[in-house]
Amino acid sequence: MKKRISILSIVMVLFVVSLGTLTVAHADVYEDEANTVFEAALSDFLEEECVTAENIAITKEPVYDIFLDRLGYIYTMQYEDTEGYALVINTTGIFQVTEFYFNATNPYNGYSSEEYKKIYVNLSSFLVYENGNFIDPETGNVVLSSEIVDLLKTKAFRGDAAVITTGTESFYFENQTINEHRIAKQHPAYYPVGENITNACVPAAGANVIGYWTRFYPELVPGFTPGTIIFGQYIYREWTTEAGQLVATLYYKMGTNVVAPGTTIQEFRSGMNAYVAQQGRSISYASCMSNGNFNYTLAKQKMENGIPLVLFVDGFRIDQFFDTENKMTLDYMTANAAHAITGFGYHEITYTLSGGSVRNDYYIKVATGLGRQPTGYYNINYNTTVDECYAITIS
């Protein structure tokens, strides 16, 4: 009879910083998802091997791809005199275990994370990085040849997961003034589903635009009704099976993940053009950029004219509002990676705070393309970069 396995769980730590009336909480979803995948693999391994372990000491450190972007984690397992390690990485938007050894030494032993970046090149291929040099951790030799590094890059794992952080921000105010406009009372909020549809925020953004225009041109998605009129207002369904199928169709038309992880802006336009033309309609793109910068005033004008936006951003913060007795609580989700979102309106708030100071927040109401939070308010006050923004008309 096997004894119950007691595993030393890896717990995601929640840091809370209190600054006067401002409270900020952070939780790393990226790290939590990696931990879940590792713990499941460890549990399965112990059960299959009939190992009767009471306690396994576990430590973990981040690993990076050869482009120096975060790739995942290496977990070191120590039980009595036995050591092992596992590598859990994310190259497609989903974490997976690529190597799991219960009788092997961590290949990065002797190289602290404070001084070196641990580079996981490919299966059983490891380097460390310090001061511009790639080093073989087994021999300590510096890989000097740029040709060798370039060759490794062609065969290397490539990290592609947004590092998503969630948290809350709270503050008190004396009064607030709101200026807003929405294209629809409730807009489409489609997102990708299925293990084979990964890195698909751009196809999802395109699908949200097509879903919006399908109200006016039903032939865009034959047999699909995107919403209904309730009390004189058109209410879009946020997600349906047909919406998921539309995202998948655009995923393939745009060539997502074919050349490199994700979808380029050019691939987005090519895929949208092909799909819309196939349905017998035309599509046009009006850039909301001026001299390489996002033109918020122009974007507002387009939305006021009933035209949705697709924004290609680097880093973002999506907020949700909770207003109770002059206390505003913002639940937010941030990420530090490239992403595409669909804009369906704007929301501007001016707060008068205690002592008479003023706070101005500017948002775009968006479909996020993320299943964990399909809608929200894109905070343009946040440290974010808009690479491109199109107001898209289908006619």
Side-chain angles (χ1 to χ4, degrees):
M1 178 178 176
K2 290 187 291 184
K3 296 170 65 176
R4 175 181 290 274
I5 299 169
S6 175
I7 300 173
L8 180 62
S9 297
I10 304 171
V11 180
M12 179 176 63
V13 180
L14 184 68
F15 295 92
V16 180
V17 182
S18 182
L19 303 171
T21 59
L22 174 64
T23 302
V24 182
H26 299 283
D28 194 336
V29 178
Y30 179 95
E31 183 176 354
D32 193 36
E33 290 177 352
N35 291 342
T36 299
V37 170
F38 166 72
E39 289 173 358
L42 177 58
S43 181
D44 289 345
F45 172 81
L46 295 178
E47 185 173 356
E48 290 173 5
E49 298 298 318
C50 299
V51 176
T52 56
E54 287 297 329
N55 277 292
I56 298 177
I58 299 169
T59 58
K60 78 171 184 295
E61 298 173 291
V63 294
Y64 301 83
D65 62 24
I66 200 167
F67 302 89
L68 307 182
D69 294 322
R70 185 151 74 156
L71 181 61
Y73 296 93
I74 184 167
Y75 295 80
T76 302
M77 301 163 282
Q78 185 74 42
Y79 174 65
E80 295 180 349
D81 295 329
T82 301
E83 182 179 318
Y85 70 87
L87 282 147
V88 180
I89 66 171
N90 188 329
T91 60
T92 63
I94 300 172
F95 277 99
Q96 59 181 337
V97 178
T98 53
E99 300 188 39
F100 192 110
Y101 304 103
F102 204 67
N103 251 317
T105 302
N106 184 326
Y108 301 108
N109 274 358
Y111 294 88
S112 69
S113 294
E114 289 77 16
E115 298 180 46
Y116 301 89
K117 277 193 170 182
K118 296 170 170 56
I119 309 301
Y120 184 34
V121 182
N122 209 315
L123 295 174
S124 301
S125 180
F126 312 99
L127 295 171
V128 292
Y129 180 83
E130 180 195 30
N131 296 331
N133 294 317
F134 290 97
I135 301 168
D136 181 342
E138 185 174 2
T139 65
N141 294 332
V142 175
V143 180
L144 295 175
S145 169
S146 60
E147 288 79 9
I148 293 177
V149 174
D150 289 341
L151 178 62
L152 290 174
K153 286 181 177 179
T154 66
K155 304 177 183 297
F157 289 128
R158 184 72 189 264
D160 194 66
V163 181
I164 296 178
T165 301
T166 60
T168 60
E169 175 188 353
S170 298
F171 58 90
Y172 291 92
F173 62 91
E174 294 181 356
N175 57 67
Q176 61 176 316
T177 303
I178 297 175
N179 176 41
E180 66 175 347
H181 176 83
R182 296 188 185 185
I183 293 176
K185 180 71 173 179
Q186 179 172 292
H187 57 74
Y190 309 157
Y191 52 87
V193 294
E195 293 185 1
N196 296 323
I197 308 297
T198 60
N199 304 318
C201 61
V202 174
N208 280 308
V209 169
I210 291 172
Y212 170 78
W213 286 109
T214 300
R215 168 191 174 187
F216 307 98
Y217 308 107
E219 63 271 28
L220 283 171
V221 187
F224 174 51
T225 302
T228 188
I229 296 176
I230 299 177
F231 299 120
Q233 293 186 311
Y234 196 88
I235 306 297
Y236 285 89
R237 290 185 286 173
E238 289 190 349
W239 195 90
T240 65
T241 301
E242 295 92 340
Q245 293 169 348
L246 178 59
V247 174
T249 297
L250 293 174
Y251 175 90
Y252 293 109
K253 282 198 174 293
M254 293 179 184
T256 301
N257 296 329
V258 171
V259 177
T263 314
T264 66
I265 295 175
Q266 182 178 354
E267 289 168 339
F268 165 77
R269 291 187 56 156
S270 176
M272 291 289 284
N273 292 344
Y275 181 89
V276 173
Q278 186 177 8
Q279 310 311 313
R281 289 289 167 182
S282 61
I283 185 170
S284 61
Y285 309 84
S287 178
C288 296
M289 307 293 287
S290 297
N291 298 319
N293 298 311
F294 176 53
N295 188 327
Y296 176 58
T297 300
L298 179 58
K300 287 171 59 178
Q301 292 173 355
K302 296 297 184 181
M303 290 186 287
E304 288 169 353
N305 290 329
I307 305 174
L309 311 176
V310 171
L311 300 100
F312 297 87
V313 301
D314 273 325
F316 62 87
R317 169 169 158 166
I318 306 296
D319 286 7
Q320 301 282 4
F321 310 120
F322 300 93
D323 182 357
T324 306
E325 296 181 355
N326 294 101
K327 178 183 179 181
M328 178 60 72
T329 298
L330 305 176
D331 282 357
Y332 63 79
M333 173 178 65
T334 67
N336 65 348
H339 191 54
I341 51 181
T342 319
F344 290 101
Y346 58 84
H347 189 90
E348 303 171 341
I349 313 176
T350 298
Y351 301 97
T352 301
L353 307 178
S354 301
S357 60
V358 174
R359 167 174 171 158
N360 295 299
D361 287 353
Y362 300 93
Y363 298 94
I364 295 175
K365 184 71 171 70
V366 297
T368 67
L370 301 170
R372 60 166 53 91
Q373 186 178 314
T375 66
Y377 295 84
Y378 169 58
N379 187 331
I380 69 172
N381 298 106
Y382 179 74
N383 185 22
T384 181
T385 299
V386 179
D387 294 322
E388 182 59 271
C389 175
Y390 291 125
I392 299 178
T393 302
I394 296 177
S395 58

